[in-house]
Amino acid sequence: MDFGGDDDDTDTDEEEEELETTETMKCVSCKEDYGSRDAGTCRECYEEASETEEELKREIEDLKTKVNFLRFFWGPPLLSPPPFADVVLVASDDHSAASQPVPVPAHRAVLACRSPVFRAMLENKMEESLSGTIKIGDVSYDALRNFVNYLYTAEACLDENMAYDLLVLAEKYQVKHLKTYCEKFLVSNLNWESSIPVYAFAHQHNSKNLLDAALSLIMDNMEKLCKREEYTELVEKDPRMVVQIYEAYLSKQVNTAAKKEPATKP
Amino acid sequence: MDFGGDDDDTDTDEEEEELETTETMKCVSCKEDYGSRDAGTCRECYEEASETEEELKREIEDLKTKVNFLRFFWGPPLLSPPPFADVVLVASDDHSAASQPVPVPAHRAVLACRSPVFRAMLENKMEESLSGTIKIGDVSYDALRNFVNYLYTAEACLDENMAYDLLVLAEKYQVKHLKTYCEKFLVSNLNWESSIPVYAFAHQHNSKNLLDAALSLIMDNMEKLCKREEYTELVEKDPRMVVQIYEAYLSKQVNTAAKKEPATKP
């Protein structure tokens, strides 16, 4: 955006200086008076912008109706089993359940459409396709239920733990839309305290957006890095990840230096 | 929108009149100079509006991605049969097909989710549910294929004939989203030539938006109404519909008269 306000002072400086104190215009939006230094738009541009805003709002309404039409809804979400389900998903390692794990019913068509991994699994007469049961390891029943619900509705109620669990599932089953959704949530909740474990998590689960955000935060606090317990643990557990932090830091320093002192000779 | 531009002329008329000709401000959007009569917004309101526009555009992008995620897509649309289809739809009265009608494969779950009529049909062990074949009368194969495609994607490539056919199907199977979509298309294509047949069509298929638009166009051309061939045909075929045109016209005249001469006594 170019706020050309200062360009006015070029030719008739003296005259304008005086006028500015006496002449004001009335803003059609906030109804306050403003002087030339606070000039915004002329009325024509204001009207055009208002029309654009109305158009954008109408487009948003249309898209919301479309989303509502396209998402699956069978009554109270997650309560009633969906009709015509032809497959179940089971959280095979759910230790929170005292007895048998509760199966989550679903439709092959929906799973196959949302995830290329499910599609390959179900189209190719693999064990899951023949038995009609897909076992999902390392996941709680709650996370699995939310994962399946997302495939039907593109909606999930996230807290930090759920976002981590769903990101892992999204990566494993290549559900890009859900992965981005979880990444956005986790990036917005990122802080210095959590940056090292989040960096390690992002590394492990191939989450580039989250990795970049965590790395950037770590690099902004390099002087405090070595004092952190999580740092010592990471050096112990996966020194290569730590090396990558230093490599990124070094590369950033070199780039910054190059920008400050641009080469004058070809 | 209230363009309070004229309010300025209240107190110091003479001084302002002179200033207006000399003093201008520069619009930050089109970069042109403007006088106080063309005043739009102050810079603060301009910046706020720009931020709002950016936010709206981001929301649109998010919603478009969501739509893309939620719609079903199995490869080239309408070409490859969808995997895991468990029901077929047949255009039972398709006289365009020389031989047997081509079945359109689909999923019970999708049909039931998009249309309460299909849901009742498929959940209640009716003939269609038991045989796995849903016969759709009075429709061409092309219209049926487009109808089913819309249930999966919320998209259809409309021309006028297709819009009429899909509106009929949308009304019959209570697919509100598609009905609105067709209505919008047909309203935007409405003209005086087509208004009488469209009025009759909208009446027959319970399309309120289209009916209102056609009726409004007819009422704007009442002096030409009786000369039209379609009018004579409609009087012959369904005089009640014609009566309703006259009733609406009379009601409009009474309302207009009441507005022009408001009662002065209580």
Side-chain angles (χ1 to χ4, degrees):
Chain A
M1 272 178 277
D2 172 22
F3 306 115
D6 293 332
D7 299 356
D8 293 348
D9 298 24
T10 42
D11 32 30
T12 53
D13 263 2
E14 275 180 40
E15 196 191 341
E16 285 213 332
E17 199 68 18
E18 201 188 350
L19 284 170
E20 216 168 79
T21 53
T22 54
E23 167 72 318
T24 56
M25 293 193 190
K26 191 170 181 176
C27 171
V28 295
S29 178
C30 67
K31 312 292 180 201
E32 301 281 323
D33 289 341
Y34 65 93
S36 65
R37 285 200 184 272
D38 296 316
T41 61
C42 65
R43 190 185 293 190
E44 203 179 323
C45 287
Y46 164 71
E47 285 172 16
E48 263 176 36
S50 303
E51 274 170 35
T52 310
E53 195 178 316
E54 287 310 308
E55 273 168 33
L56 293 174
K57 282 182 181 167
R58 271 196 298 277
E59 194 177 346
I60 287 176
E61 275 319 298
D62 282 354
L63 283 165
K64 280 185 180 170
T65 325
K66 213 166 180 176
V67 165
N68 227 25
F69 172 72
L70 283 172
R71 74 197 189 94
F72 278 77
F73 183 69
W74 312 101
L78 304 173
L79 284 178
S80 46
F84 315 113
D86 54 6
V87 68
V88 293
L89 295 98
V90 173
S92 63
D93 299 335
D94 186 9
H95 304 298
S96 66
S99 56
Q100 282 287 73
V102 184
V104 180
H107 303 86
R108 290 168 196 244
V110 178
L111 300 187
C113 187
R114 304 286 190 257
S115 152
V117 178
F118 282 134
R119 186 165 183 178
M121 194 183 275
L122 292 165
E123 281 192 329
N124 291 321
K125 310 241 175 239
M126 289 166 76
E127 191 200 325
E128 292 85 356
S129 176
L130 298 171
S131 67
T133 299
I134 301 175
K135 288 180 186 165
I136 313 274
D138 293 323
V139 70
S140 69
Y141 168 73
D142 266 358
L144 176 60
R145 207 183 52 167
N146 275 303
F147 176 59
V148 174
N149 192 52
Y150 194 90
L151 301 183
Y152 283 75
T153 62
E155 275 164 25
C157 190
L158 295 184
D159 59 22
E160 208 150 342
N161 284 335
M162 188 53 76
Y164 283 119
D165 287 353
L166 292 185
L167 193 150
V168 172
L169 286 167
E171 168 61 14
K172 193 170 168 187
Y173 294 98
Q174 291 175 37
V175 185
K176 273 188 204 156
H177 192 263
L178 175 58
K179 189 173 167 186
T180 310
Y181 185 70
C182 295
E183 281 178 338
K184 273 189 190 162
F185 179 87
L186 291 169
V187 167
S188 71
N189 279 272
L190 195 62
N191 57 46
W192 164 239
E193 302 297 315
S194 66
S195 60
I196 301 173
V198 167
Y199 169 75
F201 171 88
H203 217 286
Q204 196 183 344
H205 297 287
N206 191 30
S207 168
K208 193 173 177 328
N209 293 330
L210 193 54
L211 190 87
D212 288 349
L215 192 58
S216 165
L217 199 57
I218 292 170
M219 289 196 294
D220 289 344
N221 294 276
M222 282 305 268
E223 72 288 357
K224 296 189 271 176
L225 179 63
C226 299
K227 291 169 203 149
R228 290 197 68 89
E229 207 176 304
E230 295 92 341
Y231 171 79
T232 322
E233 284 170 15
L234 193 62
V235 172
E236 196 70 30
K237 204 178 130 197
D238 199 335
R240 282 176 201 205
M241 271 196 217
V242 180
V243 171
Q244 284 177 28
I245 295 176
Y246 285 115
E247 283 176 357
Y249 183 62
L250 185 65
S251 159
K252 189 185 160 191
Q253 279 193 325
V254 172
N255 278 338
T256 313
K259 269 182 203 157
K260 273 185 187 158
E261 298 165 33
T264 43
K265 287 174 191 172
Chain B
M1 275 180 272
D2 171 20
F3 305 116
D6 293 333
D7 300 356
D8 293 347
D9 297 26
T10 43
D11 32 30
T12 53
D13 264 1
E14 275 180 39
E15 197 191 340
E16 286 213 334
E17 200 68 20
E18 200 188 348
L19 283 171
E20 220 167 78
T21 51
T22 54
E23 167 70 319
T24 55
M25 293 191 191
K26 189 168 182 176
C27 172
V28 295
S29 180
C30 66
K31 313 292 180 198
E32 300 282 322
D33 289 342
Y34 63 93
S36 64
R37 284 198 187 273
D38 296 316
T41 62
C42 64
R43 190 184 292 190
E44 203 179 322
C45 287
Y46 164 71
E47 286 173 14
E48 264 176 38
S50 303
E51 276 169 36
T52 309
E53 196 177 316
E54 287 309 308
E55 274 167 37
L56 293 174
K57 282 181 180 167
R58 272 196 298 277
E59 195 176 344
I60 287 175
E61 275 319 296
D62 283 353
L63 283 165
K64 281 184 178 170
T65 325
K66 214 166 179 174
V67 165
N68 228 24
F69 172 73
L70 283 171
R71 73 197 189 91
F72 278 78
F73 184 69
W74 311 102
L78 304 172
L79 285 178
S80 46
F84 315 114
D86 54 7
V87 68
V88 294
L89 296 98
V90 172
S92 60
D93 299 334
D94 187 11
H95 304 299
S96 66
S99 55
Q100 281 288 72
V102 184
V104 179
H107 302 87
R108 288 168 196 243
V110 178
L111 300 186
C113 188
R114 304 286 191 255
S115 150
V117 177
F118 282 135
R119 186 168 182 173
M121 196 184 272
L122 293 166
E123 280 192 331
N124 291 321
K125 310 240 173 235
M126 287 164 77
E127 191 201 326
E128 291 85 356
S129 175
L130 299 170
S131 68
T133 299
I134 302 175
K135 288 180 186 165
I136 313 275
D138 291 325
V139 71
S140 70
Y141 169 72
D142 266 358
L144 176 61
R145 207 183 55 165
N146 275 304
F147 176 58
V148 173
N149 192 50
Y150 194 89
L151 302 182
Y152 282 74
T153 61
E155 275 163 26
C157 191
L158 295 183
D159 59 22
E160 209 150 344
N161 283 337
M162 188 53 74
Y164 284 120
D165 287 353
L166 292 186
L167 193 150
V168 172
L169 286 168
E171 167 62 13
K172 192 169 170 192
Y173 294 98
Q174 291 175 35
V175 185
K176 274 188 204 157
H177 193 264
L178 174 58
K179 187 173 167 185
T180 310
Y181 185 72
C182 295
E183 281 179 338
K184 274 186 191 165
F185 179 88
L186 291 169
V187 167
S188 71
N189 280 275
L190 196 63
N191 56 47
W192 165 239
E193 302 298 313
S194 65
S195 59
I196 300 172
V198 167
Y199 169 76
F201 171 87
H203 217 286
Q204 196 184 345
H205 298 286
N206 192 29
S207 167
K208 194 174 176 323
N209 293 329
L210 193 54
L211 189 88
D212 289 349
L215 193 57
S216 165
L217 199 57
I218 292 171
M219 288 195 295
D220 290 344
N221 295 278
M222 283 304 269
E223 73 286 358
K224 298 188 270 177
L225 180 63
C226 298
K227 290 167 204 150
R228 290 197 68 88
E229 205 177 305
E230 295 93 343
Y231 172 80
T232 321
E233 284 170 16
L234 194 61
V235 171
E236 196 70 30
K237 202 178 132 199
D238 199 336
R240 282 179 202 202
M241 272 196 218
V242 181
V243 171
Q244 283 176 31
I245 294 177
Y246 285 115
E247 282 175 358
Y249 183 63
L250 184 65
S251 161
K252 187 184 161 191
Q253 279 193 324
V254 172
N255 280 337
T256 313
K259 269 181 205 158
K260 272 186 189 157
E261 300 165 31
T264 43
K265 286 174 190 173

